Amino acid sequence: LHIAWDTAVSAGLLVAGFSLYSVEKAALYGFDRVSAYVRLELLGSGTAVLATALVVGLGWHQYLAPMILSYFVLTVGATVLLRRKNRERLDGPVPDRREIRGYVMLASLGGLAGFGFRQALPVVAARFTSPIEVSQFVAAVTLVGPLYFLPRALGMALFPALAHAHGAGELDQVRRHTD
């Protein structure tokens, strides 16, 4: 592959941003900060839309920059919010911190593998088929993307939060998470 260095850096930042975003999103759910997550998600999405309009309007070719910026908006916002509100929870015993670090590393590797696999498939497909079929494949993967992320988000974030609330007998909390 003959990829320019700036394209490789952009792709690397996108993958890193998406991985950090996934972990921070799960942390927001885990610490029951769902409304803060929604606000940060809307802020990140709005930033992506405005940045995309700017990139296209000015004729730039940094098409990944809006998504990178969007992921980092949520990541930075969640990091600041969680560190400020949950400091005593984050200073747990050493075995707990080890387990949390392991979870973060596995979640990041999962994000990198899943995202990287989806991005590498068109490159591999181009070696074996026509450009039209690769385009159709990319369109199909793009349309399936949200369905790919939904169960991942539920598995990483919502279900553990629901299980915690249910186990504590907090039925109002279960209803709120379900809503």
Side-chain angles (χ1 to χ4, degrees):
L1 299 174
H2 302 288
I3 299 173
W5 69 269
D6 60 334
T7 302
V9 168
S10 293
L13 285 172
L14 183 64
V15 169
F18 177 74
S19 295
L20 292 169
Y21 158 88
S22 297
V23 171
E24 290 297 330
K25 180 164 85 168
L28 285 168
Y29 269 111
F31 284 114
D32 194 29
R33 303 301 304 236
V34 178
S35 59
Y37 161 70
V38 171
R39 284 192 302 275
L40 286 169
E41 189 71 58
L42 290 172
L43 180 64
S45 296
T47 301
V49 169
L50 292 174
T52 300
L54 184 68
V55 166
V56 171
L58 295 176
W60 297 342
H61 297 285
Q62 290 77 19
Y63 300 115
L64 297 180
M67 286 304 297
I68 295 167
L69 187 59
S70 172
Y71 287 141
F72 279 106
V73 163
L74 185 133
T75 300
V76 170
T79 300
V80 168
L81 193 93
L82 290 172
R83 296 322 177 264
R84 185 181 68 217
K85 296 289 184 185
N86 297 305
R87 191 64 194 157
E88 68 281 353
R89 290 188 191 179
L90 295 175
D91 291 334
V94 172
D96 291 346
R97 288 188 300 213
R98 248 186 257 129
E99 186 176 343
I100 290 168
R101 276 195 300 273
Y103 171 79
V104 168
M105 292 305 296
L106 288 173
S108 296
L109 286 174
L112 289 169
F115 197 67
F117 179 69
R118 289 182 65 229
Q119 299 305 314
L121 281 176
V123 175
V124 173
R127 299 230 181 245
F128 300 103
T129 189
S130 71
I132 291 173
E133 290 172 325
V134 171
S135 299
Q136 291 170 344
F137 175 75
V138 169
V141 168
T142 301
L143 291 172
V144 168
L147 297 176
Y148 165 79
F149 292 119
L150 180 62
R152 189 169 176 270
L154 290 174
M156 257 177 62
L158 184 58
F159 292 153
L162 278 168
H164 174 74
H166 186 271
E170 299 170 350
L171 295 181
D172 288 339
Q173 190 91 336
V174 171
R175 285 186 194 102
R176 204 173 74 203
H177 281 314
T178 303
D179 288 345

